[in-house]
Every structure is written in C-alpha cells, then in structure tokens.
Amino acid sequence: MKSFIAIILVSLASLVVVAQEPSYLPPTAVNIIRTFGGPPNSMFSLFEQRGWVPYKGVGCDDASTAFEEGADGKRYGNNEYVEVYVLIQHYKPDGKFTFDLIMQNALPQGELKEYKESAKGNIPDGVIRTVTEKDVNNGKMIIKVDRSGCIMSQHSETTTIYFKSYAIIGATLVGIRAFYYSTDATFAEKLHNEVVGQIKKIGFK
C-alpha cells in the first residue's frame, strides 16, 4: 500500500524554508523548518514540519558523535536533540470526499501496519530488535527498539528507539516520526501527545 498522501493529486514543491504556519511540533522544539508543502487551495492544507527537541540521549558515547547544522546556523548533536518530523493533512469542507475516502480505506492504519511488518525484517547482524504497537492519543504508534554492542566506547551497548505514529483529529491527519538514543520508550509517546496537543490548541484556519 502506498503512503496515504499518495492519493492526493498535488504537485509538491521541494522546499526547505522557515515555517510560515504556527509550529505544531512539541512546545520545546527549536529551529522549526517547513520541509515541503502543497500550494494553498480550498480542499486541504498539506505540509511537513521538522524541528529539534532538547533531549539528553545516550549512545555508545555520552557526548554527541554526529551533528546536523540547522537553518539557524546552529549545530545540533544527536545526544542533545531529537529531530522530530510532523506531516499534517488538514481537510477543509470542500475536501470532505477525499477525507471520507481515506477513512473508508483505513489508509493511515494500513501505512502503519506496513511499517510494523517492515520493522520486523531486515535486522542487521548484532542487533536485538523488539517491535511493539500501542494505542496513543487519537491514533496508534509503532515503537522499534534496537539494542547493539559498542566498540571502543564509554558503554558496552546502546539502545536506539525509532517510532512512527498517526493521529486523526477531526478532519486532520497527522503523521509523526523520530528516533533517539535511550531505553526510555515513554518519551516517544510524550512527543506524540505534545504534537496532538499543539494541533488541538492551535487548530487551522
């Protein structure tokens, strides 16, 4: 099954610009970027935001070993920040037919099921993986936990948590994903809940 955004017939511009709409990321997120979005129309709003949420993770080393430079010129380390992606599809009254079609075909649920099945395979050598599914606010989440050994580092092993979730809030479909270095899987649910809370609080015009 293709991603549930694929049924939307719109040409997306490949943009990396500062977000023009309010931030729907967790309140502590910084360096909010709009990675792509469709042109405004009477049927729906479609865009993705990403940003960095402060979080002290622990990989094979306590200090960050990988960095990404944000649009603000700051370097974001993998053990100090978690990069969170939020995809939003908000359907207006003129887009009710398309939204109803998505709901009838359970496309968000199907996409998450595909992610779950994919996560169960292609496990690298030396990695111990667990995959769980859970109910979260207004949707579901898949959490993939990878444990692997470390070589010549401060710790004998490291844990990486990947998650992907969706939420349905009225006529708004939300996809959320991120990964971080920690054994605390509850942080994934916290990020999901904060995004859902932001959308409910801010809403759409």
Side-chain angles (χ1 to χ4, degrees):
M1 180 182 295
K2 295 182 179 180
S3 169
F4 64 87
I5 68 172
I7 72 169
I8 303 171
L9 300 179
V10 60
S11 177
L12 296 178
S14 296
L15 302 176
V16 179
V17 297
V18 176
Q20 297 175 342
E21 52 278 310
S23 169
Y24 295 100
L25 287 153
T28 57
V30 295
N31 192 42
I32 311 302
I33 295 173
R34 191 183 204 261
T35 56
F36 70 75
N41 61 71
S42 63
M43 294 182 61
F44 55 82
S45 298
L46 169 63
F47 58 90
E48 183 181 72
Q49 292 181 342
R50 66 169 173 151
W52 284 261
V53 176
Y55 181 78
K56 181 54 184 173
V58 177
C60 285
D61 295 285
D62 290 337
S64 292
T65 55
F67 298 85
E68 182 173 346
E69 184 170 336
D72 56 2
K74 181 176 179 179
R75 298 177 74 220
Y76 292 89
N78 60 343
N79 276 343
E80 280 76 43
Y81 292 89
V82 175
E83 191 171 15
V84 181
Y85 290 80
V86 177
L87 173 66
I88 293 175
Q89 301 170 64
H90 172 67
Y91 289 85
K92 303 171 185 178
D94 287 351
K96 185 177 185 303
F97 174 81
T98 302
F99 178 77
D100 289 345
L101 186 62
I102 290 173
M103 292 298 98
Q104 290 168 14
N105 288 279
L107 296 185
Q109 295 90 332
E111 185 179 355
L112 203 67
K113 182 180 179 181
E114 283 190 356
Y115 177 79
K116 181 179 180 180
E117 294 304 313
S118 176
K120 290 179 179 179
N122 301 317
I123 302 175
D125 292 340
V127 172
I128 299 174
R129 175 174 295 171
T130 59
V131 180
T132 58
E133 178 179 345
K134 66 180 305 182
D135 293 328
V136 289
N137 285 349
N138 295 86
K140 287 186 178 294
M141 171 181 288
I142 300 297
I143 299 175
K144 180 176 71 175
V145 180
D146 282 0
R147 290 173 48 213
S148 59
C150 297
I151 300 174
M152 298 179 65
S153 66
Q154 295 170 264
H155 305 287
S156 59
E157 69 173 26
T158 185
T159 301
T160 308
I161 294 177
Y162 306 81
F163 80 87
K164 184 172 184 176
S165 65
Y166 75 84
I168 302 172
I169 307 168
T172 302
L173 305 181
V174 186
I176 308 164
R177 61 186 172 90
F179 77 91
Y180 56 96
Y181 301 102
S182 175
T183 58
D184 180 15
T186 64
F187 184 64
E189 186 172 357
K190 178 177 183 290
L191 291 174
H192 173 97
N193 291 342
E194 288 181 344
V195 170
V196 170
Q198 286 287 90
I199 292 172
K200 290 180 177 180
K201 177 182 176 180
I202 299 172
F204 297 89
K205 294 183 180 180

